Amino acid sequence: MTLAATAAGHGFLSPSGVEIAFVLVGIGTLGAAVLTVTTRQLVHAALWLVVALGGVAVEYLLLTAEFIAWVQVLIYVGSVVVLLLFGLMLTKAPIGRSPDADSGNRWAALVVALASAAALVWVVVDAFRATWINLDGAAQGSTEVSGRSLFQYWVLPFEALSVLLLAALVGAIVLSRKSGAGEAAAAALTNGAAPAPREEQR
């Protein structure tokens, strides 16, 4: 993404409309992310995750990176969240409030989250301290520039993410098959019927 030098007369005390919208959408996205990790309803957490990822896509649009914004919507909102909901359905996770969704380590998680956020903000501010994104030019998130950067510098993390999503899907299927077999055996014992013996091999 092209970064332009600081324009004359431009500063934090005279923000433009795009910058104000960027801050407001960022606050809404942060709120949705907090609700995602604090709610005790798994389906609600997945839906709040949709809002958070959609807010990130809007931020990309405000940064004139239209291609990255639509990739965010198609891959994360349209695929990752659907995969999460699919895993919840396969594992028969509770739909309502569940005490299992709270591990009791909220304060430790909060400390780690704040430390990670502070480190990320410090790195970004230190790297782009005196630069401004040129929002008046053409869109910078073109397929050519993004594809070259992705497959030249980030191909290994991209493939690792694909393997991670595949492992999550396979794990959900395995858990659903185990729970289904366990429920069938429990129902047979409750009804007083012995499990059906396997057919002897001739």
Short mmCIF file of all heavy atoms in Angstrom, two decimals, residues 72-130:
data_model
loop_
_atom_site.label_atom_id
_atom_site.label_comp_id
_atom_site.label_asym_id
_atom_site.label_seq_id
_atom_site.Cartn_x
_atom_site.Cartn_y
_atom_site.Cartn_z
N GLN A 72 -11.54 -10.29 2.49
CA GLN A 72 -11.91 -10.42 3.90
C GLN A 72 -13.34 -10.93 4.04
O GLN A 72 -13.62 -11.81 4.86
CB GLN A 72 -11.76 -9.05 4.58
CG GLN A 72 -12.27 -8.98 6.00
CD GLN A 72 -11.29 -9.53 7.01
OE1 GLN A 72 -10.13 -9.75 6.68
NE2 GLN A 72 -11.77 -9.74 8.22
N VAL A 73 -14.25 -10.39 3.25
CA VAL A 73 -15.65 -10.80 3.33
C VAL A 73 -15.83 -12.23 2.83
O VAL A 73 -16.49 -13.06 3.48
CB VAL A 73 -16.54 -9.83 2.53
CG1 VAL A 73 -17.97 -10.35 2.44
CG2 VAL A 73 -16.52 -8.45 3.17
N LEU A 74 -15.23 -12.56 1.69
CA LEU A 74 -15.44 -13.87 1.09
C LEU A 74 -14.80 -14.99 1.89
O LEU A 74 -15.40 -16.05 2.10
CB LEU A 74 -14.91 -13.87 -0.35
CG LEU A 74 -15.66 -12.99 -1.35
CD1 LEU A 74 -14.96 -13.02 -2.71
CD2 LEU A 74 -17.10 -13.45 -1.50
N ILE A 75 -13.56 -14.77 2.35
CA ILE A 75 -12.82 -15.85 3.01
C ILE A 75 -13.19 -15.93 4.49
O ILE A 75 -13.57 -16.99 4.99
CB ILE A 75 -11.31 -15.66 2.83
CG1 ILE A 75 -10.94 -15.80 1.35
CG2 ILE A 75 -10.54 -16.66 3.68
CD1 ILE A 75 -9.47 -15.65 1.06
N TYR A 76 -13.09 -14.83 5.20
CA TYR A 76 -13.29 -14.89 6.65
C TYR A 76 -14.77 -14.93 7.01
O TYR A 76 -15.23 -15.81 7.73
CB TYR A 76 -12.60 -13.71 7.33
CG TYR A 76 -11.10 -13.86 7.37
CD1 TYR A 76 -10.29 -13.32 6.39
CD2 TYR A 76 -10.51 -14.59 8.39
CE1 TYR A 76 -8.92 -13.48 6.42
CE2 TYR A 76 -9.13 -14.75 8.43
CZ TYR A 76 -8.35 -14.19 7.44
OH TYR A 76 -7.00 -14.36 7.47
N VAL A 77 -15.56 -13.96 6.52
CA VAL A 77 -16.98 -13.93 6.86
C VAL A 77 -17.72 -15.07 6.17
O VAL A 77 -18.57 -15.73 6.78
CB VAL A 77 -17.59 -12.57 6.49
CG1 VAL A 77 -19.08 -12.54 6.81
CG2 VAL A 77 -16.87 -11.45 7.22
N GLY A 78 -17.39 -15.35 4.92
CA GLY A 78 -18.14 -16.34 4.18
C GLY A 78 -17.65 -17.76 4.33
O GLY A 78 -18.38 -18.70 4.03
N SER A 79 -16.42 -17.97 4.80
CA SER A 79 -15.89 -19.33 4.89
C SER A 79 -15.51 -19.71 6.32
O SER A 79 -15.96 -20.75 6.81
CB SER A 79 -14.65 -19.46 3.98
OG SER A 79 -14.99 -19.21 2.64
N VAL A 80 -14.73 -18.89 6.98
CA VAL A 80 -14.25 -19.25 8.32
C VAL A 80 -15.41 -19.32 9.31
O VAL A 80 -15.53 -20.28 10.08
CB VAL A 80 -13.18 -18.25 8.79
CG1 VAL A 80 -12.78 -18.53 10.22
CG2 VAL A 80 -11.97 -18.32 7.88
N VAL A 81 -16.29 -18.32 9.30
CA VAL A 81 -17.41 -18.33 10.23
C VAL A 81 -18.37 -19.47 9.92
O VAL A 81 -18.90 -20.13 10.82
CB VAL A 81 -18.14 -16.97 10.21
CG1 VAL A 81 -19.36 -16.99 11.10
CG2 VAL A 81 -17.19 -15.87 10.65
N VAL A 82 -18.60 -19.73 8.63
CA VAL A 82 -19.44 -20.88 8.26
C VAL A 82 -18.82 -22.18 8.74
O VAL A 82 -19.50 -23.09 9.22
CB VAL A 82 -19.66 -20.90 6.74
CG1 VAL A 82 -20.35 -22.19 6.30
CG2 VAL A 82 -20.49 -19.70 6.31
N LEU A 83 -17.50 -22.28 8.66
CA LEU A 83 -16.81 -23.47 9.16
C LEU A 83 -16.97 -23.59 10.67
O LEU A 83 -17.17 -24.70 11.20
CB LEU A 83 -15.32 -23.40 8.79
CG LEU A 83 -14.44 -24.56 9.27
CD1 LEU A 83 -14.93 -25.88 8.69
CD2 LEU A 83 -12.99 -24.32 8.90
N LEU A 84 -16.90 -22.47 11.40
CA LEU A 84 -17.11 -22.52 12.84
C LEU A 84 -18.52 -22.98 13.18
O LEU A 84 -18.72 -23.83 14.06
CB LEU A 84 -16.85 -21.13 13.44
CG LEU A 84 -15.40 -20.66 13.46
CD1 LEU A 84 -15.32 -19.23 14.00
CD2 LEU A 84 -14.54 -21.57 14.31
N LEU A 85 -19.52 -22.44 12.50
CA LEU A 85 -20.89 -22.86 12.75
C LEU A 85 -21.10 -24.32 12.37
O LEU A 85 -21.82 -25.06 13.05
CB LEU A 85 -21.86 -21.97 11.96
CG LEU A 85 -21.91 -20.50 12.40
CD1 LEU A 85 -22.80 -19.70 11.47
CD2 LEU A 85 -22.42 -20.39 13.83
N PHE A 86 -20.47 -24.76 11.31
CA PHE A 86 -20.55 -26.16 10.90
C PHE A 86 -19.95 -27.06 11.97
O PHE A 86 -20.50 -28.12 12.30
CB PHE A 86 -19.82 -26.34 9.57
CG PHE A 86 -20.00 -27.70 8.96
CD1 PHE A 86 -21.23 -28.16 8.60
CD2 PHE A 86 -18.89 -28.51 8.75
CE1 PHE A 86 -21.39 -29.42 8.04
CE2 PHE A 86 -19.04 -29.77 8.19
CZ PHE A 86 -20.29 -30.23 7.83
N GLY A 87 -18.81 -26.64 12.55
CA GLY A 87 -18.21 -27.42 13.63
C GLY A 87 -19.08 -27.45 14.87
O GLY A 87 -19.18 -28.47 15.55
N LEU A 88 -19.75 -26.33 15.18
CA LEU A 88 -20.65 -26.32 16.33
C LEU A 88 -21.82 -27.27 16.14
O LEU A 88 -22.24 -27.96 17.07
CB LEU A 88 -21.17 -24.89 16.56
CG LEU A 88 -20.16 -23.84 17.04
CD1 LEU A 88 -20.82 -22.47 17.15
CD2 LEU A 88 -19.56 -24.24 18.37
N MET A 89 -22.34 -27.32 14.91
CA MET A 89 -23.45 -28.23 14.66
C MET A 89 -23.00 -29.68 14.69
O MET A 89 -23.71 -30.56 15.20
CB MET A 89 -24.09 -27.90 13.30
CG MET A 89 -24.84 -26.58 13.27
SD MET A 89 -25.70 -26.30 11.72
CE MET A 89 -24.31 -26.13 10.59
N LEU A 90 -21.82 -29.97 14.17
CA LEU A 90 -21.35 -31.36 14.15
C LEU A 90 -21.05 -31.87 15.56
O LEU A 90 -21.32 -33.02 15.88
CB LEU A 90 -20.10 -31.47 13.28
CG LEU A 90 -20.31 -31.48 11.76
CD1 LEU A 90 -18.98 -31.55 11.05
CD2 LEU A 90 -21.19 -32.65 11.34
N THR A 91 -20.49 -31.02 16.40
CA THR A 91 -20.15 -31.44 17.76
C THR A 91 -21.33 -31.29 18.72
O THR A 91 -21.19 -31.55 19.91
CB THR A 91 -18.98 -30.60 18.29
OG1 THR A 91 -19.30 -29.21 18.18
CG2 THR A 91 -17.72 -30.88 17.50
N LYS A 92 -22.50 -30.85 18.22
CA LYS A 92 -23.70 -30.70 19.05
C LYS A 92 -23.44 -29.81 20.25
O LYS A 92 -23.77 -30.16 21.39
CB LYS A 92 -24.23 -32.07 19.48
CG LYS A 92 -24.63 -32.96 18.31
CD LYS A 92 -25.17 -34.30 18.77
CE LYS A 92 -25.56 -35.16 17.58
NZ LYS A 92 -26.06 -36.49 17.99
N ALA A 93 -22.80 -28.68 19.99
CA ALA A 93 -22.52 -27.74 21.07
C ALA A 93 -23.83 -27.11 21.54
O ALA A 93 -24.79 -26.99 20.79
CB ALA A 93 -21.57 -26.65 20.56
N PRO A 94 -23.91 -26.72 22.83
CA PRO A 94 -25.14 -26.11 23.34
C PRO A 94 -25.43 -24.79 22.66
O PRO A 94 -24.53 -23.98 22.42
CB PRO A 94 -24.84 -25.93 24.84
CG PRO A 94 -23.35 -25.93 24.93
CD PRO A 94 -22.86 -26.85 23.86
N ILE A 95 -26.72 -24.56 22.34
CA ILE A 95 -27.13 -23.34 21.65
C ILE A 95 -27.24 -22.17 22.63
O ILE A 95 -26.87 -21.06 22.33
CB ILE A 95 -28.46 -23.57 20.92
CG1 ILE A 95 -28.30 -24.71 19.90
CG2 ILE A 95 -28.90 -22.30 20.21
CD1 ILE A 95 -27.27 -24.47 18.84
N GLY A 96 -27.77 -22.43 23.84
CA GLY A 96 -27.98 -21.36 24.82
C GLY A 96 -26.73 -21.07 25.62
O GLY A 96 -25.61 -21.41 25.23
N ARG A 97 -26.95 -20.45 26.78
CA ARG A 97 -25.83 -20.11 27.67
C ARG A 97 -25.22 -21.39 28.22
O ARG A 97 -25.92 -22.31 28.64
CB ARG A 97 -26.31 -19.22 28.80
CG ARG A 97 -26.78 -17.85 28.33
CD ARG A 97 -27.34 -17.05 29.50
NE ARG A 97 -26.32 -16.80 30.50
CZ ARG A 97 -25.49 -15.77 30.47
NH1 ARG A 97 -25.56 -14.90 29.48
NH2 ARG A 97 -24.60 -15.59 31.42
N SER A 98 -23.92 -21.44 28.22
CA SER A 98 -23.23 -22.64 28.67
C SER A 98 -22.13 -22.25 29.65
O SER A 98 -21.30 -21.39 29.35
CB SER A 98 -22.62 -23.39 27.49
OG SER A 98 -21.84 -24.49 27.94
N PRO A 99 -22.11 -22.87 30.85
CA PRO A 99 -21.01 -22.56 31.80
C PRO A 99 -19.67 -23.08 31.31
O PRO A 99 -18.62 -22.63 31.78
CB PRO A 99 -21.47 -23.27 33.08
CG PRO A 99 -22.39 -24.35 32.62
CD PRO A 99 -23.08 -23.81 31.41
N ASP A 100 -19.69 -24.03 30.37
CA ASP A 100 -18.43 -24.55 29.85
C ASP A 100 -17.69 -23.53 29.00
O ASP A 100 -16.50 -23.70 28.72
CB ASP A 100 -18.68 -25.81 29.02
CG ASP A 100 -19.27 -26.94 29.86
OD1 ASP A 100 -19.02 -26.94 31.09
OD2 ASP A 100 -19.97 -27.79 29.31
N ALA A 101 -18.39 -22.48 28.55
CA ALA A 101 -17.74 -21.45 27.72
C ALA A 101 -16.86 -20.52 28.54
O ALA A 101 -16.14 -19.71 27.97
CB ALA A 101 -18.79 -20.64 26.96
N ASP A 102 -16.90 -20.62 29.87
CA ASP A 102 -16.08 -19.79 30.73
C ASP A 102 -15.07 -20.70 31.42
O ASP A 102 -15.44 -21.55 32.24
CB ASP A 102 -16.96 -19.07 31.76
CG ASP A 102 -16.17 -18.03 32.55
OD1 ASP A 102 -14.96 -17.88 32.27
OD2 ASP A 102 -16.75 -17.39 33.42
N SER A 103 -13.80 -20.50 31.12
CA SER A 103 -12.76 -21.36 31.68
C SER A 103 -12.29 -20.91 33.05
O SER A 103 -11.51 -21.59 33.70
CB SER A 103 -11.56 -21.43 30.73
OG SER A 103 -10.98 -20.14 30.61
N GLY A 104 -12.72 -19.74 33.50
CA GLY A 104 -12.27 -19.23 34.78
C GLY A 104 -10.95 -18.50 34.73
O GLY A 104 -10.42 -18.09 35.78
N ASN A 105 -10.39 -18.32 33.55
CA ASN A 105 -9.10 -17.63 33.40
C ASN A 105 -9.27 -16.29 32.69
O ASN A 105 -8.45 -15.90 31.87
CB ASN A 105 -8.12 -18.51 32.61
CG ASN A 105 -7.81 -19.80 33.33
OD1 ASN A 105 -7.68 -19.82 34.55
ND2 ASN A 105 -7.72 -20.89 32.58
N ARG A 106 -10.36 -15.60 33.00
CA ARG A 106 -10.65 -14.36 32.29
C ARG A 106 -9.61 -13.28 32.57
O ARG A 106 -9.22 -12.55 31.67
CB ARG A 106 -12.03 -13.85 32.68
CG ARG A 106 -13.18 -14.68 32.12
CD ARG A 106 -14.47 -13.93 32.17
NE ARG A 106 -15.54 -14.65 31.49
CZ ARG A 106 -16.68 -14.09 31.11
NH1 ARG A 106 -16.89 -12.82 31.36
NH2 ARG A 106 -17.60 -14.80 30.49
N TRP A 107 -9.15 -13.17 33.82
CA TRP A 107 -8.19 -12.13 34.15
C TRP A 107 -6.84 -12.39 33.47
O TRP A 107 -6.20 -11.45 32.96
CB TRP A 107 -8.02 -12.03 35.65
CG TRP A 107 -9.23 -11.49 36.34
CD1 TRP A 107 -10.11 -12.15 37.15
CD2 TRP A 107 -9.72 -10.14 36.25
NE1 TRP A 107 -11.10 -11.31 37.57
CE2 TRP A 107 -10.89 -10.06 37.04
CE3 TRP A 107 -9.28 -9.00 35.59
CZ2 TRP A 107 -11.62 -8.90 37.18
CZ3 TRP A 107 -10.01 -7.83 35.72
CH2 TRP A 107 -11.17 -7.78 36.50
N ALA A 108 -6.43 -13.65 33.43
CA ALA A 108 -5.18 -13.96 32.73
C ALA A 108 -5.32 -13.69 31.24
O ALA A 108 -4.41 -13.14 30.61
CB ALA A 108 -4.81 -15.42 32.97
N ALA A 109 -6.47 -14.05 30.67
CA ALA A 109 -6.70 -13.79 29.24
C ALA A 109 -6.74 -12.29 28.97
O ALA A 109 -6.24 -11.82 27.94
CB ALA A 109 -8.00 -14.45 28.79
N LEU A 110 -7.33 -11.52 29.91
CA LEU A 110 -7.39 -10.07 29.73
C LEU A 110 -6.00 -9.45 29.75
O LEU A 110 -5.67 -8.57 28.94
CB LEU A 110 -8.26 -9.45 30.82
CG LEU A 110 -8.42 -7.93 30.78
CD1 LEU A 110 -9.07 -7.49 29.48
CD2 LEU A 110 -9.23 -7.44 31.97
N VAL A 111 -5.15 -9.91 30.66
CA VAL A 111 -3.79 -9.40 30.73
C VAL A 111 -3.01 -9.71 29.45
O VAL A 111 -2.32 -8.84 28.88
CB VAL A 111 -3.07 -9.97 31.96
CG1 VAL A 111 -1.59 -9.61 31.94
CG2 VAL A 111 -3.71 -9.46 33.25
N VAL A 112 -3.14 -10.94 28.97
CA VAL A 112 -2.44 -11.32 27.73
C VAL A 112 -2.96 -10.51 26.55
O VAL A 112 -2.19 -10.06 25.69
CB VAL A 112 -2.61 -12.83 27.49
CG1 VAL A 112 -2.05 -13.23 26.13
CG2 VAL A 112 -1.91 -13.62 28.59
N ALA A 113 -4.30 -10.32 26.48
CA ALA A 113 -4.88 -9.55 25.37
C ALA A 113 -4.40 -8.11 25.39
O ALA A 113 -4.05 -7.54 24.34
CB ALA A 113 -6.40 -9.63 25.45
N LEU A 114 -4.39 -7.48 26.57
CA LEU A 114 -3.94 -6.09 26.66
C LEU A 114 -2.46 -5.96 26.32
O LEU A 114 -2.05 -5.00 25.64
CB LEU A 114 -4.22 -5.55 28.06
CG LEU A 114 -5.69 -5.35 28.43
CD1 LEU A 114 -5.82 -4.87 29.87
CD2 LEU A 114 -6.36 -4.38 27.47
N ALA A 115 -1.65 -6.92 26.78
CA ALA A 115 -0.22 -6.87 26.46
C ALA A 115 0.01 -7.05 24.95
O ALA A 115 0.83 -6.34 24.36
CB ALA A 115 0.53 -7.95 27.24
N SER A 116 -0.73 -7.96 24.33
CA SER A 116 -0.59 -8.17 22.88
C SER A 116 -1.04 -6.95 22.11
O SER A 116 -0.39 -6.54 21.13
CB SER A 116 -1.40 -9.40 22.46
OG SER A 116 -0.98 -10.55 23.15
N ALA A 117 -2.16 -6.35 22.53
CA ALA A 117 -2.66 -5.14 21.86
C ALA A 117 -1.67 -3.99 22.00
O ALA A 117 -1.42 -3.26 21.03
CB ALA A 117 -4.03 -4.75 22.42
N ALA A 118 -1.11 -3.82 23.21
CA ALA A 118 -0.14 -2.74 23.41
C ALA A 118 1.11 -2.94 22.55
O ALA A 118 1.63 -1.98 21.95
CB ALA A 118 0.24 -2.66 24.90
N ALA A 119 1.58 -4.18 22.47
CA ALA A 119 2.76 -4.45 21.64
C ALA A 119 2.46 -4.21 20.17
O ALA A 119 3.29 -3.62 19.44
CB ALA A 119 3.22 -5.90 21.84
N LEU A 120 1.27 -4.60 19.70
CA LEU A 120 0.91 -4.41 18.29
C LEU A 120 0.78 -2.92 17.97
O LEU A 120 1.28 -2.46 16.93
CB LEU A 120 -0.39 -5.15 17.98
CG LEU A 120 -0.91 -5.06 16.55
CD1 LEU A 120 0.10 -5.66 15.58
CD2 LEU A 120 -2.25 -5.76 16.42
N VAL A 121 0.11 -2.18 18.85
CA VAL A 121 -0.04 -0.74 18.61
C VAL A 121 1.31 -0.04 18.62
O VAL A 121 1.58 0.84 17.78
CB VAL A 121 -0.98 -0.13 19.67
CG1 VAL A 121 -0.96 1.39 19.61
CG2 VAL A 121 -2.40 -0.65 19.48
N TRP A 122 2.18 -0.43 19.53
CA TRP A 122 3.51 0.20 19.59
C TRP A 122 4.31 -0.08 18.33
O TRP A 122 4.97 0.82 17.79
CB TRP A 122 4.27 -0.32 20.81
CG TRP A 122 5.63 0.29 20.94
CD1 TRP A 122 5.94 1.51 21.46
CD2 TRP A 122 6.86 -0.30 20.52
NE1 TRP A 122 7.30 1.73 21.39
CE2 TRP A 122 7.89 0.64 20.82
CE3 TRP A 122 7.20 -1.52 19.93
CZ2 TRP A 122 9.23 0.38 20.54
CZ3 TRP A 122 8.53 -1.77 19.66
CH2 TRP A 122 9.52 -0.83 19.96
N VAL A 123 4.24 -1.30 17.81
CA VAL A 123 4.98 -1.65 16.59
C VAL A 123 4.45 -0.86 15.40
O VAL A 123 5.22 -0.30 14.60
CB VAL A 123 4.90 -3.16 16.33
CG1 VAL A 123 5.41 -3.50 14.94
CG2 VAL A 123 5.69 -3.93 17.37
N VAL A 124 3.12 -0.78 15.27
CA VAL A 124 2.53 -0.06 14.13
C VAL A 124 2.83 1.43 14.21
O VAL A 124 3.21 2.07 13.22
CB VAL A 124 1.01 -0.32 14.08
CG1 VAL A 124 0.35 0.56 13.02
CG2 VAL A 124 0.73 -1.78 13.78
N VAL A 125 2.67 2.02 15.40
CA VAL A 125 2.94 3.45 15.55
C VAL A 125 4.41 3.76 15.31
O VAL A 125 4.77 4.75 14.67
CB VAL A 125 2.50 3.92 16.95
CG1 VAL A 125 2.98 5.35 17.22
CG2 VAL A 125 0.99 3.84 17.08
N ASP A 126 5.30 2.90 15.78
CA ASP A 126 6.73 3.13 15.58
C ASP A 126 7.12 2.98 14.11
O ASP A 126 8.01 3.69 13.64
CB ASP A 126 7.52 2.13 16.43
CG ASP A 126 9.02 2.39 16.34
OD1 ASP A 126 9.47 3.43 16.86
OD2 ASP A 126 9.73 1.53 15.76
N ALA A 127 6.44 2.10 13.38
CA ALA A 127 6.79 1.89 11.97
C ALA A 127 6.23 2.98 11.07
O ALA A 127 6.86 3.34 10.07
CB ALA A 127 6.29 0.52 11.52
N PHE A 128 5.04 3.50 11.39
CA PHE A 128 4.39 4.49 10.52
C PHE A 128 4.14 5.80 11.28
O PHE A 128 3.07 6.39 11.18
CB PHE A 128 3.06 3.94 10.00
CG PHE A 128 3.20 2.63 9.27
CD1 PHE A 128 2.87 1.44 9.89
CD2 PHE A 128 3.67 2.60 7.97
CE1 PHE A 128 3.00 0.23 9.24
CE2 PHE A 128 3.80 1.40 7.31
CZ PHE A 128 3.47 0.21 7.94
N ARG A 129 5.16 6.23 12.02
CA ARG A 129 4.97 7.41 12.88
C ARG A 129 4.73 8.67 12.07
O ARG A 129 3.86 9.47 12.39
CB ARG A 129 6.21 7.58 13.76
CG ARG A 129 6.08 8.68 14.80
CD ARG A 129 7.37 8.80 15.61
NE ARG A 129 7.71 7.55 16.25
CZ ARG A 129 7.25 7.17 17.44
NH1 ARG A 129 6.41 7.95 18.09
NH2 ARG A 129 7.62 6.02 17.97
N ALA A 130 5.48 8.89 11.01
CA ALA A 130 5.40 10.15 10.26
C ALA A 130 4.91 9.95 8.84
O ALA A 130 5.27 10.68 7.93
CB ALA A 130 6.78 10.82 10.23
#
